[in-house]
mmCIF file of all heavy atoms in Angstrom:
data_model
loop_
_atom_site.group_PDB
_atom_site.id
_atom_site.type_symbol
_atom_site.label_atom_id
_atom_site.label_comp_id
_atom_site.label_asym_id
_atom_site.label_seq_id
_atom_site.Cartn_x
_atom_site.Cartn_y
_atom_site.Cartn_z
ATOM 1 N N CYS T 44 -20.471 -12.346 147.225
ATOM 2 C CA CYS T 44 -20.538 -13.599 147.948
ATOM 3 C C CYS T 44 -21.854 -14.365 147.518
ATOM 4 O O CYS T 44 -21.769 -15.641 147.325
ATOM 5 C CB CYS T 44 -20.712 -13.363 149.442
ATOM 6 S SG CYS T 44 -19.028 -12.629 150.157
ATOM 7 N N PHE T 53 -18.685 -12.411 158.612
ATOM 8 C CA PHE T 53 -19.290 -11.101 159.140
ATOM 9 C C PHE T 53 -19.775 -10.365 157.904
ATOM 10 O O PHE T 53 -19.138 -10.360 156.815
ATOM 11 C CB PHE T 53 -18.116 -10.341 159.821
ATOM 12 C CG PHE T 53 -17.737 -10.969 161.049
ATOM 13 C CD1 PHE T 53 -16.607 -11.833 161.074
ATOM 14 C CD2 PHE T 53 -18.374 -10.749 162.275
ATOM 15 C CE1 PHE T 53 -16.140 -12.411 162.253
ATOM 16 C CE2 PHE T 53 -17.912 -11.394 163.465
ATOM 17 C CZ PHE T 53 -16.813 -12.242 163.437
ATOM 18 N N ARG T 98 -7.454 -7.249 166.549
ATOM 19 C CA ARG T 98 -5.992 -7.620 166.423
ATOM 20 C C ARG T 98 -5.735 -8.469 165.209
ATOM 21 O O ARG T 98 -4.843 -9.358 165.232
ATOM 22 C CB ARG T 98 -5.486 -8.328 167.682
ATOM 23 C CG ARG T 98 -5.547 -7.316 168.906
ATOM 24 C CD ARG T 98 -5.020 -7.979 170.089
ATOM 25 N NE ARG T 98 -5.083 -6.951 171.110
ATOM 26 C CZ ARG T 98 -4.271 -6.897 172.174
ATOM 27 N NH1 ARG T 98 -3.393 -7.808 172.272
ATOM 28 N NH2 ARG T 98 -4.330 -5.933 173.033
#
Side-chain angles (χ1 to χ4, degrees):
C44 294
F53 296 91
R98 297 183 176 206

